[in-house]
């Protein structure tokens, strides 16, 4: 009888086959964790692309005047015509640390450009320059005009009053009371809300107006001195469409704090019971059994220290009162100094000097619920619900301020 000769596989081949099998059977070898660029806020997302150009995108309805803020975005185009957009535009994911951004006449911060509020530093144009950090040769510049046909505002308003603080609830007060009596069965009263603060009066503002020639055009040159903080603001206004509002209104009153809710009353000490037949009715106080639906029940009168041992429910706590609304501050005073060269522009200046609005009254806290009476003790009573706290007292608005017009030679320089 003939037999087939055994096939002998060299040990080197066995090792190689084992390695190949192990290598290809392991899926983890081919798996690569790719971070989600939309949740990665630190990487330079342009590093892994071959970028051929970048484009600056600004809002279509951009009105660039001194002090204005507006968003800006960049689209990078890859060699495969893939658009890589910065965050904030059409679900872009490219971080702003992928670019170096400079603004002549303003500042840049996280996709927002803010022009300098001082027209002496903005001029007639501003320039945006953007460069890809990982591709130094890729840069883009944009020069845009600055307009002075805008509705400018000089902020000299009084500060708003501080809002009152909400009162703590009865339960919160109980938890914070480390020296309370051992047994407190009625719910605690909620804490009153504190009163809202009175709004500050509007500021006194001196407004100096004269004409100046800028690039061949007659413009309004305005200096506003806010005497609340002695700050100086300069405005350049094109009278053909531009205007100035001087806001010296009083600050609004602060809202009153809400009263805290009343705490719940404590339940009466319950009867711990179970079904168990007994041959006789209870005869003494020490033999506490009662009959119900064909069964005698054993009642455990060991008192729970967290419950009322009388068996009655504790009364609910009274809600705290709401805080008083803060009064509005009085309007301030705007003194308009019109140079003879600017008298024709009086209608381009408006003053808002109304008194501040009163704050909102604090609402009273809710009544605390009464505790339940002891379980299966019909002679005991549940606690009464507390009372709702009173709402705070209303306040009044501030009185209007004053506007003083003076036509004089404005010799002050700024």
């Amino acid at each position: 009888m003939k037999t087939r000769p055994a096939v002998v596989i060299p040990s080197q081949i066995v090792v190689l086959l084992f390695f190949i099998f192990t290598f290809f059977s392991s899926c983890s070898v081919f798996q690569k964790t790719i971070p989600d660029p939309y949740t990665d806020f630190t990487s330079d997302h342009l590093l892994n692309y071959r970028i051929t150009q970048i484009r600056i995108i600004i809002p279509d309805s951009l009105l660039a005047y001194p002090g204005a803020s507006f968003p800006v975005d960049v689209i990078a185009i890859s060699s495969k015509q893939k658009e890589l957009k910065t965050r904030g535009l059409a679900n872009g994911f490219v971080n702003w640390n992928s670019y170096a951004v400079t603004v002549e006449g303003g500042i840049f911060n996280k996709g927002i450009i803010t022009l300098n509020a001082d027209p002496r530093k903005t001029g007639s144009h501003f320039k945006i320059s953007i460069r890809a950090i990982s591709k130094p040769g890729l840069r883009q510049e944009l020069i845009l005009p600055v307009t002075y046909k805008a509705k400018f505002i000089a902020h000299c308003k009084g500060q708003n009053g501080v809002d009152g603080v909400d009162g703590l609830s009865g339960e919160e007060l109980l938890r914070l009371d480390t020296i309370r009596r051992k047994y407190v069965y009625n719910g605690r009263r909620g804490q009153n809300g504190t009163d809202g603060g009175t709004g500050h009066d509007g500021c006194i503002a001196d407004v100096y107006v004269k004409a100046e020639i800028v690039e061949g055009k007659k413009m309004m040159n305005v200096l506003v001195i806010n005497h609340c903080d002695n700050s100086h603001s300069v405005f350049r206004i094109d009278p053909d469409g531009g205007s100035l509002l001087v806001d010296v209104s009083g600050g609004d009153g602060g809202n009153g704090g809400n009263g805290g809710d009343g705490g719940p009353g404590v339940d009466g000490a319950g009867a711990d019971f179970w079904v168990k037949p007994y041959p006789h009715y209870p005869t003494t106080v020490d033999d506490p059994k009662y009959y119900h639906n064909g069964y005698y029940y054993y009642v455990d009168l060991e008192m729970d220290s967290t419950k009322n041992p009388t068996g009655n429910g504790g009364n609910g706590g009274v809600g705290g009162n709401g805080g008083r609304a803060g009064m509005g501050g009085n309007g301030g005073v705007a003194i308009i100094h019109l140079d003879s060269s600017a008298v024709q522009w009086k209608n381009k200046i408006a003053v808002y000097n109304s008194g501040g609005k009163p704050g909102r009254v604090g609402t009273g806290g809710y009544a605390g619920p009464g505790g339940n009476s002891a379980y299966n003790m019909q002679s005991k009573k549940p606690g009464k619900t507390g009372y709702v706290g009173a709402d705070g007292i209303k306040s009044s608005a501030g009185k209007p301020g004053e506007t003083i017009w003076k036509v004089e030679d404005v010799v002050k320089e700024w």
Side-chain angles (χ1 to χ4, degrees):
M1 179 178 180
K2 294 183 179 180
T3 59
R4 293 183 179 179
V7 178
V8 179
I9 301 176
S11 60
Q12 294 89 342
I13 297 179
V14 172
V15 173
L16 180 60
L17 291 174
F18 177 78
F19 174 77
I20 292 174
F21 175 79
T22 305
F23 182 82
F24 283 99
S25 63
S26 176
C27 296
S28 61
V29 173
F30 301 99
Q31 292 177 348
K32 182 180 179 181
T33 303
I34 301 176
D36 183 356
Y38 289 94
T39 58
D40 177 7
F41 297 95
T42 59
S43 299
D44 181 347
H45 292 127
L46 301 183
L47 280 172
N48 299 323
Y49 293 91
R50 184 181 176 186
I51 305 301
T52 59
Q53 63 173 309
I54 59 175
R55 295 202 312 264
I56 301 175
I57 308 298
I58 59 173
D60 293 334
S61 58
L62 175 62
L63 187 64
Y65 56 88
S69 295
F70 57 91
V72 63
D73 292 281
V74 180
I75 297 179
I77 310 297
S78 73
S79 58
K80 297 183 179 180
Q81 298 303 305
K82 180 179 178 64
E83 292 188 345
L84 304 172
K85 305 172 183 179
T86 48
R87 297 186 185 278
L89 176 66
N91 298 320
F93 61 81
V94 176
N95 292 320
W96 277 106
N97 60 5
S98 299
Y99 296 100
V101 183
T102 58
V103 181
E104 294 182 13
I107 60 174
F108 171 82
N109 184 35
K110 297 180 180 178
I112 301 295
I113 288 178
T114 301
L115 297 187
N116 200 303
D118 191 335
R120 296 169 297 185
K121 298 179 181 179
T122 52
S124 59
H125 293 81
F126 69 100
K127 183 169 71 172
I128 306 171
S129 301
I130 298 180
R131 173 177 57 85
I133 293 177
S134 60
K135 324 288 182 187
L138 285 177
R139 60 178 66 238
Q140 183 76 20
E141 290 184 347
L142 201 59
I143 299 176
L144 298 169
V146 177
T147 182
Y148 294 93
K149 295 181 179 181
K151 296 180 179 180
F152 295 95
I153 301 177
H155 297 282
C156 304
K157 176 182 172 67
Q159 293 183 3
N160 294 337
V162 178
D163 290 341
V165 179
D166 294 343
L168 298 176
S169 68
E171 282 189 290
E172 291 170 323
L173 291 172
L174 184 63
R175 287 196 296 268
L176 294 173
D177 187 358
T178 58
I179 58 173
R180 63 180 180 269
R181 294 178 303 166
K182 185 176 181 181
Y183 300 108
V184 181
Y185 305 117
N186 293 328
R188 291 210 171 196
R189 179 190 180 101
Q191 193 178 43
N192 293 338
T194 62
D195 296 340
T198 299
H200 293 211
D201 292 344
C203 302
I204 297 175
D206 277 302
V207 182
Y208 298 92
V209 187
K210 61 183 180 180
E212 67 171 346
I213 304 299
V214 180
E215 297 182 354
K217 183 173 180 58
K218 197 174 182 180
M219 307 279 276
M220 295 171 60
N221 189 12
V222 183
L223 170 66
V224 179
I225 301 177
N226 182 345
H227 291 286
C228 279
D229 56 8
N230 200 34
S231 61
H232 293 55
S233 302
V234 176
F235 299 89
R236 181 180 294 159
I237 304 170
D238 187 341
D240 295 332
S243 63
L244 175 66
L245 171 65
V246 183
D247 185 0
V248 290
S249 59
D252 297 334
N255 298 324
N258 298 322
D261 298 335
V266 170
D267 293 341
D272 212 2
F273 70 95
W274 60 89
V275 176
K276 186 176 181 181
Y278 280 86
H280 59 276
Y281 287 96
T283 56
T284 65
V285 175
D286 296 330
D287 189 19
K289 307 177 184 65
Y290 63 93
Y291 184 79
H292 182 68
N293 288 342
Y295 293 98
Y296 289 101
Y297 290 83
Y298 175 78
V299 182
D300 183 2
L301 291 183
E302 290 183 5
M303 298 304 175
D304 184 343
S305 62
T306 64
K307 297 184 178 181
N308 189 345
T310 66
N312 296 319
N315 295 327
V318 178
N321 296 329
R324 180 186 183 121
M327 295 180 59
N330 297 323
V333 179
I335 307 169
I336 316 297
H337 307 266
L338 280 174
D339 187 80
S340 57
S341 63
V343 173
Q344 71 270 29
W345 296 324
K346 181 179 178 179
N347 64 339
K348 297 294 181 179
I349 301 173
V351 177
Y352 184 46
N353 58 9
S354 66
K357 295 180 293 186
R360 173 187 55 78
V361 300
T363 57
Y366 290 109
N372 299 314
S373 60
Y375 191 75
N376 266 343
M377 289 189 177
Q378 297 178 358
S379 62
K380 304 303 178 182
K381 298 179 180 179
K384 297 179 180 179
T385 301
Y387 298 97
V388 177
D391 291 341
I393 300 173
K394 295 181 179 180
S395 288
S396 58
K399 297 178 181 179
E402 186 179 2
T403 302
I404 301 173
W405 296 88
K406 293 183 177 182
V407 178
E408 59 190 18
D409 290 334
V410 176
V411 296
K412 196 175 187 68
E413 298 293 335
W414 56 88

